[in-house]
Amino acid sequence: MNTMRKPVVGLALGSGSARGWGHIGVLRALEQAAVRPDLICGSSIGALVGAAYAVGELDRFEQWVLGLGFAEVVSFMDFNLSGGMLKGERLMNFFRRNFTDRPVEGLDLPFAAVATSLYSGTEVWLRSGSTAEAVRASMALPGLFTPVQRDGRLLVDGGLVNPVPVSLARAMGADIVIAVDLNADILGRHLRPEPAAPDKGVERGAWMRRLQENLGSLLPEPSADEPRLPSMLDVLTSSLNIMQVRITRSRMAGEPPEAVVAPRLAHLGLLDFHRAREAIDAGHRAAEASLPFLRELGLGK
C-alpha cells in the first residue's frame, strides 16, 4: 500500500511596507499555475496580504488596493506624538469594517503572523485571537506606527526579527516553503533619487516630501560646498531596510526555503501604497519566473 502523503506547501510572505502589494501579484501567478498553499504566514505587510488570502477575500482586497490613490493613503495617516508618528487605527478600523475579522484559529486556511516583543526582543508568533489585531501588531514599524499591547506584551513589527518567516511556516507543518522576499534588491538603491515619471502625476509622494521638508527645517542649512544629507525619514527607513536585508540573508541561510520569489521593487518608497499596480505586476513577473523550478518540486501544472 502506498503510504506516501502529499507534501504540505507553505507560503512565507515577507516584510517591505508598500512593496508588500507585490505579494498579491505573487499569489495571483501561483493561483494561475495551480500552486495552492496549504498554509500561509507573514511578517509586517506580508501578514496583511496573507490574512486577506487566508480569510478568502483576496479579490475584494486587491480591488481596494488598486483603488488607493494619494488622497486615500493620506486619509489613513493619523498622526501621533508618542510611540510612533502614526497610530495606524484608521487603517485597521477600515480593514475591520470592510473585511472579515475572524479568529486566526478559525480560518479555513492556516495562518499566522510574526511580531516582536519590544521589551524582550523575542520573536512572537500570533496564531490565535483577532486576525486584524495580529496583523496590526505585525505591522507596527518602529518610529512609524505605534506599538500594540497584546497579552501583556508590547509588540512591534515582525520584520525586526524575522522578515521572511520561513521558520514559522516550518513550525506550522510545511514540507515545502515558498518564501517571498520583497527586499532582495534594495541594498545600494534605497537612497538613490528616482526621476519623476510623467504618467504618475505631480501628487506622487507629495505629502512625504512636505513632511520631510518640515522635519528638515529643524536642522541647520548645509554650506554651499557641503552635500545635503538625506531626510530623517530617509535615514530611518533606509536603516531599517539594511537591517531587514541582513537579517533575512542570515536567517534564510540557516533556515533555507525550497524556493524564493524575489520581486524587483527597490524603486518603491516606504509609503508608496498608491502605486499598487506597479508592485502587483512586479510580484506577478517574479512568481512566473519561478514556476519552472516549482514544477521541478512537483508543484502546479
Side-chain angles (χ1 to χ4, degrees), residues 20 144 174:
L144 188 65

Side-chain angles (χ1 to χ4, degrees), residues 18 51 293:
F293 181 69

Side-chain angles (χ1 to χ4, degrees), residues 14-294:
S15 59
S17 194
R19 295 187 291 277
W21 299 152
H23 288 310
I24 299 173
V26 171
L27 288 166
R28 291 304 190 198
L30 294 180
E31 279 183 347
Q32 291 162 9
V35 178
R36 298 181 179 87
D38 301 297
L39 59 91
I40 191 166
C41 60
S43 185
S44 195
I45 192 69
L48 176 60
V49 179
Y53 187 81
V55 300
E57 296 189 359
L58 187 65
D59 289 346
R60 201 151 63 93
F61 185 76
E62 181 178 12
Q63 290 306 308
W64 173 69
V65 164
L66 287 170
L68 283 177
F70 167 75
E72 288 79 13
V73 173
V74 172
S75 74
F76 290 128
M77 303 304 168
D78 43 356
F79 288 90
N80 183 64
L81 295 178
S82 62
M85 288 195 301
L86 308 173
K87 289 187 290 185
E89 293 310 311
R90 289 182 186 172
L91 176 61
M92 294 317 300
N93 286 338
F94 178 90
F95 186 83
R96 291 185 187 98
R97 287 196 308 270
N98 291 274
F99 301 97
T100 304
D101 181 18
R102 292 160 55 192
V104 172
E105 62 272 31
L107 300 180
D108 295 333
L109 183 70
F111 167 76
V114 179
T116 305
S117 170
L118 185 61
Y119 293 140
S120 68
T122 55
E123 181 176 338
V124 179
W125 291 348
L126 303 173
R127 303 181 65 175
S128 63
S130 162
T131 299
E133 289 180 8
V135 169
R136 172 67 179 85
S138 186
M139 290 180 63
L141 185 65
L144 188 65
F145 288 105
T146 53
V148 172
Q149 289 277 2
R150 182 179 167 113
D151 300 328
R153 292 179 290 199
L154 197 60
L155 301 180
V156 292
D157 197 291
L160 296 180
V161 290
N162 201 352
V164 185
V166 175
S167 56
L168 176 52
R170 295 274 186 227
M172 294 171 70
D175 301 305
I176 296 175
V177 177
I178 303 170
V180 185
D181 182 3
L182 302 177
N183 302 312
D185 67 333
I186 198 74
L187 289 187
R189 298 181 61 190
H190 48 284
L191 279 180
R192 293 183 188 175
E194 183 190 352
D199 60 337
K200 292 177 183 174
V202 296
E203 64 183 11
R204 176 184 161 276
W207 75 273
M208 176 63 83
R209 287 194 297 274
R210 288 198 297 271
L211 180 58
Q212 291 174 343
E213 288 165 2
N214 290 337
L215 292 170
S217 68
L218 302 176
L219 302 173
E221 283 292 319
S223 62
D225 58 348
E226 183 180 348
R228 180 176 292 274
L229 293 174
S231 72
M232 182 184 75
L233 285 175
D234 278 338
V235 172
L236 173 64
T237 57
S238 296
S239 298
L240 288 169
N241 285 337
I242 292 168
M243 177 197 70
Q244 292 190 59
V245 169
R246 298 300 185 188
I247 293 172
T248 299
R249 290 179 180 178
S250 175
R251 294 208 59 162
M252 287 210 294
E255 303 159 342
E258 277 63 40
V260 178
V261 179
R264 300 186 64 82
L265 293 162
H267 61 289
L268 293 184
L270 179 77
L271 296 174
D272 280 343
F273 291 104
H274 56 297
R275 298 173 66 181
R277 183 76 271 165
E278 295 172 63
I280 292 172
D281 289 347
H284 197 281
R285 287 193 297 271
E288 281 190 323
S290 73
L291 291 178
F293 181 69
L294 294 179

